[in-house]
Amino acid sequence: MVKTAHIIGAGISGLSAAVRLSNVGFAVHVHEATQQAGGRCRSYYDAATDLVIDNGNHLMLSGNRHARAYARSIGSEAGLAGPERARFDFMDMASGERWTLDLGNGRVSTWLFDAARRVPGTGVVDYLKLAPLVWAGTAARVGDTVACKGELYRRLVHPLLLAALNVDPPDGSAGLAGAIVRETLLAGGQACRPLIAREGLSAVLVDPALALLRARGADIRFGHELRKVQAANGAVTALDFGEDTAAVAPGDVIVLAVPPRAAASIVPGLTGPVKFRAIVNAHFRHDPPADQPALMGVIGGLVEWLFAFPQRLSVTISDADRLVNAPREELARDIWRDVCKAARLGADVAEGPLPPWQIVRERRATFEATPEQHRLRPGTRTEWKNLFLAGDWTDTGLPATIEGSVRSGDRAADLALTMT
Ligand SMILES: Cc1cc2nc3c(=O)[nH]c(=O)nc-3n(C[C@H](O)[C@H](O)[C@H](O)COP(=O)(O)OP(=O)(O)OC[C@H]3O[C@@H](n4cnc5c(N)ncnc54)[C@H](O)[C@@H]3O)c2cc1C
């Protein structure tokens, strides 16, 4: 008899679990509370810029093996565009200096021994001093583990960890920072090539999954919010959506892939992170200069990362709680000045009328990747043998990332299979 998998939440973690269970023949039902799939990783039409934009610029790396396997399984891996080598362009706002960090494309970090490929002003010994992060425990803070000062910190460690942890790096979990260092810098250039969904997050990571699931007969329902569950004898027996209820037969599985607050209202006694940080993205409808790299790190600016898309320059600012209530017009102007400097658009353009723009402030973009919040992350199993948790906030061993989301969805699906 065909078994049923109920996937609650159509973010990346839910979709990856849905695809994995559908691959092995489950009849999949996806229940999503909102009218759109993708969760915190989605695209939409923006009238202000008259462009389809993403809720946030998302950077993936070639070492994100679960995320890439997910994209491959839905036929869209080619949509993750990136260079042949792991090259990252940077500019320093204070000095105007520009450089390229060239991690190459090998498995061994030979770039460390070539001054021209390293961060300017740094020596091999500076990088070796990062080693304690690699074996740091989950209770330690970055600031207690490595020295958060000097050129290497300012020009590489700070921007890398700020983007990955979404907290001021010294306050971040050294264990999570260590996972990032192990899976990126230590794994050589082959793991560090930047990958961007240039056609948009939904086109690459969401819509192909929905199409595949639908082609296999999956039932995908929007505006279908799980309110609570009924359980008996250690297993969930029914899903209560308020206006309707779905019975759960023996052998059927449920993957609860919703944010922590929603999960805690459904699973009694569940712990999860309770503190979150914002990410601000600004999008300007302006053609990037021909030589503008697809991605540029900006040191010492309001802007942290500048992305160049066709017809659009977009920026990301992490750990951005300080900006969520800033007046929008002023913020757009300040960000545009940094963009013009980084992309060499000139003072006239910087002080002239703003091009069509949009600012997207995701207030609860990610959980705070501090030791305290990390400690609250639950595993995949619950007190009910047929209900499994997924989500970037579960204990994936990574900060809140697409890779972590996919890993959690894969793990939930794999455990669900062992149950049946
Ligand atoms: C602005 C921004 C920038 C980011 N940048 C990056 C980046 O550069 N690189 C990177 O790797 N990651 C990045 N991330 C993180 C990444 O987007 C997330 O880790 C990932 O999208 C989380 O997916 P998820 O499935 O775990 O959770 P979510 O996306 O939160 O999905 C949960 C889903 O559950 C639904 N739901 C909630 N309650 C219910 C209910 N009761 N019943 C049914 N459905 C429900 C929600 O509507 C939602 O669709 C960024 C995030 C943001 C916000």
Side-chain angles (χ1 to χ4, degrees), residues 9 12-13 31-33 39-40 58-59 225-226 257 391-392 401-402 405:
I12 297 298
S13 59
H31 311 273
E32 164 58 44
R40 281 169 285 147
H58 279 59
L59 177 66
E225 179 181 348
L226 181 67
D392 62 355
T401 52
I402 294 177
S405 302

Side-chain angles (χ1 to χ4, degrees), residues 58-80:
H58 279 59
L59 177 66
M60 292 170 51
L61 295 176
S62 48
N64 292 165
R65 57 182 202 284
H66 284 252
R68 288 179 68 193
Y70 163 72
R72 202 173 309 132
S73 72
I74 58 174
S76 67
E77 195 184 11
L80 295 172

Side-chain angles (χ1 to χ4, degrees), residues 8-14 31-34 36-41 55-60 64 163 224-227 241 256-259 262 266 279-281 307 316 362 364-366 390-393 400-403 405 408:
I8 318 296
I12 297 298
S13 59
H31 311 273
E32 164 58 44
T34 68
Q36 198 185 359
R40 281 169 285 147
C41 179
N55 68 312
N57 300 311
H58 279 59
L59 177 66
M60 292 170 51
N64 292 165
H224 209 221
E225 179 181 348
L226 181 67
R227 304 284 166 81
F241 296 96
L256 186 63
V258 302
I266 291 163
I279 297 179
V280 167
N281 279 258
F307 291 73
T316 297
E362 288 271 7
R364 292 164 66 87
T366 72
D392 62 355
W393 58 277
T401 52
I402 294 177
E403 173 68 6
S405 302
S408 74

Side-chain angles (χ1 to χ4, degrees), residues 118-170:
R118 292 195 297 260
V119 176
T122 63
V124 178
V125 173
D126 297 321
Y127 296 82
L128 297 181
K129 287 183 186 158
L130 296 178
L133 278 182
V134 175
W135 53 76
T138 50
R141 289 164 68 250
V142 172
D144 299 331
T145 309
V146 291
C148 294
K149 58 181 196 234
E151 282 306 86
L152 181 63
Y153 178 73
R154 202 173 75 83
R155 292 182 155 184
L156 180 61
V157 178
H158 179 269
L160 173 70
L161 295 187
L162 178 61
L165 303 177
N166 200 23
V167 293
D168 192 26

Side-chain angles (χ1 to χ4, degrees), residues 88-410:
F88 293 84
D89 291 280
F90 283 91
M91 75 96 53
D92 189 321
M93 275 289 174
S95 64
E97 203 178 341
R98 290 167 190 270
W99 67 93
T100 302
L101 174 71
D102 182 357
L103 308 179
N105 56 7
R107 286 180 186 279
V108 183
S109 300
T110 49
W111 58 274
L112 262 181
F113 304 100
D114 182 346
R117 292 171 61 189
R118 292 195 297 260
V119 176
T122 63
V124 178
V125 173
D126 297 321
Y127 296 82
L128 297 181
K129 287 183 186 158
L130 296 178
L133 278 182
V134 175
W135 53 76
T138 50
R141 289 164 68 250
V142 172
D144 299 331
T145 309
V146 291
C148 294
K149 58 181 196 234
E151 282 306 86
L152 181 63
Y153 178 73
R154 202 173 75 83
R155 292 182 155 184
L156 180 61
V157 178
H158 179 269
L160 173 70
L161 295 187
L162 178 61
L165 303 177
N166 200 23
V167 293
D168 192 26
D171 298 333
S173 155
L176 293 176
I180 296 296
V181 171
R182 277 194 304 278
E183 296 197 12
T184 58
L185 295 178
L186 260 193
Q190 52 98 28
C192 299
R193 286 190 305 107
L195 296 175
I196 298 171
R198 291 191 64 77
E199 305 306 321
L201 293 170
S202 292
V204 177
L205 295 175
V206 179
D207 298 344
L210 297 178
L212 179 87
L213 291 167
R214 284 197 179 105
R216 290 177 181 166
D219 171 36
I220 300 172
R221 295 184 66 179
F222 294 103
H224 209 221
E225 179 181 348
L226 181 67
R227 304 284 166 81
K228 49 186 196 274
V229 298
Q230 290 160 24
N233 303 323
V236 170
T237 52
L239 303 173
D240 181 348
F241 296 96
E243 298 199 337
D244 60 295
T245 305
V248 178
D252 290 353
V253 299
I254 304 136
V255 176
L256 186 63
V258 302
R261 201 193 290 171
S265 73
I266 291 163
V267 181
L270 183 69
T271 64
V274 289
K275 292 189 176 171
F276 301 85
R277 291 284 168 98
I279 297 179
V280 167
N281 279 258
H283 307 273
F284 297 93
R285 187 179 177 127
H286 192 288
D287 288 331
D291 59 351
Q292 182 63 27
L295 172 71
M296 174 181 258
V298 180
I299 306 301
L302 171 59
V303 166
E304 290 156 7
W305 295 95
L306 173 59
F307 291 73
F309 292 98
Q311 298 181 279
R312 173 163 61 99
L313 287 159
S314 285
V315 311
T316 297
I317 305 172
S318 297
D319 187 20
D321 287 15
R322 69 193 186 285
L323 301 178
V324 289
N325 295 318
R328 281 168 56 78
E329 185 88 28
E330 251 172 62
L331 185 57
R333 170 60 68 185
D334 289 346
I335 294 175
W336 180 240
R337 284 200 185 98
D338 270 16
V339 170
C340 289
K341 201 163 170 189
R344 291 194 257 232
L345 295 178
D348 288 358
V349 179
E351 297 309 326
L354 284 176
W357 57 273
Q358 182 58 274
I359 288 183
V360 185
R361 306 189 241 211
E362 288 271 7
R363 286 166 194 266
R364 292 164 66 87
T366 72
F367 73 88
E368 280 184 10
T370 57
E372 296 74 31
Q373 297 304 306
H374 178 58
R375 206 174 299 128
L376 299 171
R377 301 169 79 183
T380 310
R381 292 183 193 275
T382 65
E383 64 179 278
W384 297 310
K385 66 178 183 206
N386 58 349
L387 187 142
F388 303 89
L389 297 174
D392 62 355
W393 58 277
T394 60
D395 191 6
T396 64
L398 291 175
T401 52
I402 294 177
E403 173 68 6
S405 302
V406 176
R407 278 189 202 182
S408 74
D410 287 354

